[in-house]
């Protein structure tokens, strides 16, 4: 897909992978509707517009989509389902509200956003959905059981969805990064890049790569790992 003039929605745009993806799409000539609970700092561009949206609320998602079409036009070409939360800890002490917070954001929110764009995508016979999962969707890890469960769900949803939407000319890609240097789970990125972690811009570049694949090609899954290990 040539991204010049295309309209993309990026959820979880406030920071990290979402913000980096919005910046990368803008650099490729797309217009970007950034959805998030808070606006990203320093992302000032005439083709970027922020829409306050908590993806856990299906009514807020529907409103954000209506507002996006009103401001940027009816045609939407890309949805990057990036909004996510990770809360770690052993299951025998895990809080129910933390469990629900992860599923409400990582799984239910992704469903609400996907459902919102599909009628327009089908009308166009064109669209690309990028679901940001994690390598936690490929193998369980101690004290990450809840998070892994959500990301396995995202991967399964993505696999079924691409088969469902293929006849409509709609592409679906599941991106599964490993360690990324972001504020995820309360971590604070270092002043200098950690060579043992990927940067948000690395994930954004992979998303752009999937979007720019030839029309006859769909990259259904991307697994990403740091090139170096400790």
């Amino acid at each position: 897909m040539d991204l010049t003039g295309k309209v993309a929605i990026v959820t979880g745009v406030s920071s990290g992978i979402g913000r980096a993806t919005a910046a990368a799409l803008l650099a490729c000539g797309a217009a970007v509707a950034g959805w998030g609970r808070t606006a990203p700092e320093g992302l000032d561009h005439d083709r970027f517009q922020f829409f306050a949206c908590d993806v856990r609320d299906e009514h807020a998602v529907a409103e954000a989509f209506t507002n996006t079409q009103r401001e940027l036009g009816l045609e939407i070409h890309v949805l990057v389902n990036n909004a996510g939360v990770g809360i770690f800890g052993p299951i025998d002490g895990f809080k129910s509200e933390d469990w629900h917070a992860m599923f409400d954001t990582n799984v239910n929110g992704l469903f609400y956003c996907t459902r919102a764009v599909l009628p327009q995508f089908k009308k166009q016979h064109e669209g690309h959905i990028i679901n940001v999962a994690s390598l936690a969707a490929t193998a369980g890890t101690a004290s990450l059981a809840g998070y892994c469960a959500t990301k396995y769900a995202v991967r399964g949803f993505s696999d079924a969805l691409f088969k469902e939407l293929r006849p409509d000319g709609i592409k679906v890609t599941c991106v599964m990064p490993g360690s990324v240097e972001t504020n995820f789970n309360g971590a604070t990125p270092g002043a200098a890049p950690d060579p043992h972690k990927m940067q948000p811009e690395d994930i954004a570049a992979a998303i752009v790569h999937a979007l720019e694949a030839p029309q006859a090609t769909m990259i259904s899954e991307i697994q990403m790992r740091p090139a170096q290990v400790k």
Side-chain angles (χ1 to χ4, degrees), residues 1 3 7-13 15-26 30-36 55 76-84 105 109-110 113-114 117 121 127-133 154 171-175 200 203-211:
M1 180 190 293
L3 297 178
V7 177
I9 295 169
V10 179
T11 72
V13 76
S15 62
I17 294 171
R19 189 188 184 287
T21 299
L25 291 171
L26 290 167
V32 177
W35 293 7
V55 300
I76 308 294
H77 307 93
V78 175
L79 169 65
V80 180
N81 280 314
N82 165 72
T105 304
L110 179 143
C113 294
T114 300
V117 304
F121 278 10
H128 199 145
I129 298 167
I130 305 283
N131 293 329
V132 179
V154 171
K171 298 181 180 181
V172 179
T173 302
C174 185
V175 179
I203 315 307
I207 290 171
V208 169
H209 170 70
L211 292 171

Side-chain angles (χ1 to χ4, degrees), residues 46-63:
D46 58 1
R47 283 185 276 106
F48 175 77
Q49 192 153 347
F50 175 73
F51 298 88
C53 178
D54 185 343
V55 300
R56 297 173 297 181
D57 182 342
E58 60 180 310
H59 300 295
V61 168
E63 183 178 7

Side-chain angles (χ1 to χ4, degrees), residues 49-122:
Q49 192 153 347
F50 175 73
F51 298 88
C53 178
D54 185 343
V55 300
R56 297 173 297 181
D57 182 342
E58 60 180 310
H59 300 295
V61 168
E63 183 178 7
F65 185 68
T66 297
N67 293 339
T68 297
Q69 287 190 304
R70 185 185 67 243
E71 297 296 327
L72 300 180
L74 292 179
E75 289 200 357
I76 308 294
H77 307 93
V78 175
L79 169 65
V80 180
N81 280 314
N82 165 72
V85 62
I87 304 170
F88 307 152
I91 286 299
D92 58 357
F94 210 77
K95 296 178 181 178
S96 295
E97 54 263 38
D98 289 342
W99 179 273
H100 289 295
M102 283 197 293
F103 271 89
D104 285 343
T105 304
N106 301 359
V107 183
N108 297 343
L110 179 143
F111 161 66
Y112 300 145
C113 294
T114 300
R115 183 181 60 181
V117 304
L118 282 184
Q120 183 62 38
F121 278 10
K122 288 183 176 181

